[in-house]
Amino acid sequence: MLRVAVIGSGPSGVYTAQSLIEQQTVPDIEVYVLDRLPCPYGLVRYGVAPDHEKIKSLQNNLRTVLEHPRVRFLGNVEVGAPGLGVEELREIFDAVVFCVGAATDRHLGIPGEELPGSHPATEFVAWYSAHPDAAAVRFTLAARSALVIGVGNVAVDVARMLSRGAAELAATDMPQGPLGALADSRVEDVWMVGRRGPSQAKFTTKELRELGSLPDTDLCVRPEELALDPAYRDPGELPAVGRRNVEVLRGWAERATERAASGPEAGAAGPRRRIHLRFFLRPVEVLGDAAGVRGVRFERTAPDGHGGVTGTGEFEDIEGQLVLRSVGYRGTPQPGLPFDERTGTVPHRAGRVLRDGAPLPGVYVAGWIKRGPTGVIGTNRPCAKETAQSLLADAPALAERGAGEDPVVALTRAGQCPVPWPGWLAIEAAEAEWGRGLGRGTVKLPDWAGLLAAAGAADPTR
C-alpha cells in the first residue's frame, strides 16, 4: 500500500488525489487529503464570490473525489505546526504533495498602504466568504467612495460585492455579519483602477459583463483612457478575451457619451451607485492619516511601446474612505521546504521539490505553490496530473519502507485533532439548519469555534 498525503483540499489538491486514484500503474494506493481548515474545497468555498453559484457548484465534483473509497479527508490538521513538519509527515506517509496555494496578497509598496481603511482585497474576500481566520475582521462600509486597486477577477468580484444590495445576496450562503454590513452600506462610488490599459486587464469577459447587469448601478468608462491603448484602436490583433473586453468597455463608453450628450431625463432619479473603471493610473501614495484613508494619489501612465507603461509625471487624486488592494496573490514559505522569494513558489522539476538542485525524496508540489497564482480553476488539472505522474514514476522507491502507523493515530499523537469526512458533513448540516432558522438557505458558520463544535471536534490550541 502506497500512502500519499496531499496537503490542501482546494482544486489543485483534489485534482492531484483524483490523478493518483484514477491511474492504473500503481493500483494499491491510498490518498489522505489534509487541510488546515475543518472544511474542504479551498478557494472554491472561501474565494469564489457568494453570488457565483455556478462556479461554487464545482464543490459537487470535488466531493465525488473526496468520497472515493481510497481517499480520506482529514481537516483541522496544521502541517508545519510543532511535531508535524516535512520529516514527520514522511515518517507517516510514503509521499507528500503540497497543494497549499498562495495564501497572502502582494503589496503595492507605496506610502500610506497600511493606513486604517486600507486593506488587501483578500481580507475583504475572506470576510464576506466567512473564512474562520477572518472572524474578527469587521467592515462597516461607512465610506461614501471606495477604491479597488487592480483589474483582475478578484477586483471585479470586490467591486460587484460593494455594489450589490443585501436583498440580492440574501439567497446566498453569505454570513449574517457581512450581509448586514452591505444592507447598511453608504458606498455610492466604486472605483476600479488599473495601471495599464484595458487590453491588458486580467479580468475575464464574463466577470466584466456582470458589472453591467447590476441593478440601479451606472458604469462609467472614459473614452479618452480607452483610446490611449494602442490595441483599442486595432483590437483585431488581441487574443479573444482581450478583444471581447475591449468591445464591452467600448459599448459602455459610447453609452456614457450618449447619456452625457442628451442630459438627464426630467424627474428621473440617478442610479444608486456608480462603478468607475479607470485605466493608465499607477498608485503612488495612499492619502490619509491615523484617522483613516482619504483617497489615493495616482500617476498617469502611458504605453511605452513594449507592452508596458511609463509614468507621465502627471498626477490625479481620487477620493475614497476605503481602499482595497487587489494586485495578486503570493505564495508563502512552507516550513521545511525550499522557497523562491522572487517567484513566491517552491523550486521543483515536474512537481518534484528541489533542494540545492536535487530532488527532495518523496516531496512534491502542485497548484499555485508550484507555478505561481496563474490560470483559472481548470488550469490545476494538467498541473496536478504532471505532479502525480512524477510521483507514480517514483513509486517503487517510495514504497520500499512498507506501511507504517495508521495516519490518523499518528496525526493525533503529533498533537492534531483531525476532522474526518463525517465531521465535515456535520458542519454542512449545521449550516443548513442555521440558514433555515434565519429564513434563508444554507448560511456559512463564520468562526473556528462554531465549525469545530458542529464537527464534534475539540482543539484546545485554538
Side-chain angles (χ1 to χ4, degrees):
M1 173 69 70
L2 185 71
R3 286 178 175 165
V4 179
V6 172
I7 315 302
S9 64
S12 64
V14 176
Y15 291 153
T16 298
Q18 184 177 29
S19 295
L20 290 171
I21 60 173
E22 289 185 350
Q23 50 76 39
Q24 303 298 320
T25 57
V26 185
D28 198 19
I29 190 168
E30 194 171 56
V31 181
Y32 289 75
V33 179
L34 313 183
D35 203 294
R36 186 178 70 89
L37 300 175
C39 309
Y41 310 136
L43 283 180
V44 177
R45 175 176 167 90
Y46 288 118
V48 174
D51 61 340
H52 275 178
E53 294 182 3
K54 184 175 182 180
I55 301 176
K56 289 173 75 69
S57 69
L58 176 63
Q59 293 181 14
N60 297 327
N61 298 334
L62 303 181
R63 175 191 292 269
T64 300
V65 178
L66 293 175
E67 290 182 334
H68 190 279
R70 287 188 284 119
V71 176
R72 295 189 65 181
F73 170 76
L74 296 175
N76 197 40
V77 175
E78 188 168 2
V79 172
L84 195 61
V86 175
E87 292 183 4
E88 288 84 2
L89 285 169
R90 287 287 283 116
E91 289 296 320
I92 303 171
F93 300 98
D94 298 303
V96 183
V97 187
F98 284 82
C99 305
V100 292
T104 61
D105 64 291
R106 294 184 181 274
H107 295 277
L108 295 172
I110 61 176
E113 186 172 8
E114 304 302 329
L115 285 173
S118 172
H119 306 268
T122 50
E123 189 174 276
F124 188 70
V125 171
W127 170 72
Y128 68 61
S129 298
H131 195 294
D133 288 348
V137 175
R138 296 289 183 273
F139 286 91
T140 60
L141 304 185
R144 186 191 65 77
S145 178
L147 287 95
V148 182
I149 299 176
V151 285
N153 279 344
V154 173
V156 175
D157 282 348
V158 167
R160 194 178 65 257
M161 288 297 103
L162 287 169
S163 304
R164 273 208 186 281
E168 301 167 60
L169 294 166
T172 73
D173 60 6
M174 180 182 284
Q176 287 294 98
L179 192 65
L182 287 169
D184 296 333
S185 172
R186 299 179 183 177
V187 175
E188 297 176 357
D189 290 280
V190 178
W191 303 79
M192 192 167 70
V193 187
R195 65 185 177 88
R196 297 195 292 181
S199 67
Q200 296 170 309
K202 299 300 183 182
F203 43 63
T204 59
T205 310
K206 180 179 181 296
E207 291 260 5
L208 179 64
R209 282 178 174 148
E210 284 184 295
L211 295 179
S213 65
L214 295 174
D216 204 16
T217 302
D218 199 7
L219 270 295
C220 306
V221 182
R222 301 193 177 191
E224 66 272 20
E225 290 182 350
L226 301 187
L228 280 175
D229 193 329
Y232 177 77
R233 297 187 292 273
D234 185 16
E237 298 300 318
L238 287 175
V241 173
R243 186 168 61 253
R244 289 193 296 266
N245 287 345
V246 166
E247 290 169 355
V248 171
L249 292 166
R250 186 195 302 272
W252 289 343
E254 289 173 352
R255 285 196 292 273
T257 301
E258 291 169 1
R259 285 196 304 269
S262 61
E265 295 181 17
R272 180 172 57 95
R273 290 198 174 101
R274 293 166 295 275
I275 299 177
H276 307 260
L277 287 90
R278 301 291 309 274
F279 299 97
F280 293 110
L281 291 174
R282 177 167 56 201
V284 295
E285 183 180 1
V286 177
L287 307 172
D289 51 34
V293 300
R294 295 193 303 271
V296 177
R297 177 161 294 158
F298 295 91
E299 181 183 14
R300 291 185 181 136
T301 62
D304 63 4
H306 304 286
V309 293
T310 185
T312 65
E314 299 179 6
F315 297 88
E316 178 181 346
D317 294 351
I318 299 179
E319 174 197 351
Q321 300 79 40
L322 174 65
V323 175
L324 297 172
R325 314 180 303 268
S326 182
V327 291
Y329 289 90
R330 177 176 171 80
T332 57
Q334 301 301 305
L337 294 187
F339 188 73
D340 187 331
E341 289 287 351
R342 182 181 60 85
T343 62
T345 60
V346 171
H348 72 94
R349 183 182 300 122
R352 296 180 179 91
V353 172
L354 300 177
R355 174 173 286 158
D356 298 325
L360 194 60
V363 185
Y364 305 83
V365 285
W368 280 1
I369 197 64
K370 170 186 174 183
R371 68 180 192 276
T374 60
V376 294
I377 290 175
T379 312
N380 289 292
R381 280 190 179 276
C383 174
K385 185 175 182 179
E386 179 190 56
T387 295
Q389 288 174 338
S390 293
L391 189 158
L392 293 167
D394 300 339
L398 297 173
E400 285 179 354
R401 295 181 307 169
E405 186 177 18
D406 177 81
V408 177
V409 173
L411 291 170
T412 303
R413 184 167 46 77
Q416 301 296 310
C417 299
V419 171
W421 190 252
W424 157 242
L425 296 181
I427 291 173
E428 278 193 316
E431 292 182 334
E433 182 179 357
W434 188 32
R436 282 193 295 271
L438 295 169
R440 299 173 56 193
T442 295
V443 175
K444 287 179 183 173
L445 296 170
D447 55 60
W448 277 101
L451 290 168
L452 293 176
D459 188 346
T461 66
R462 297 199 189 279

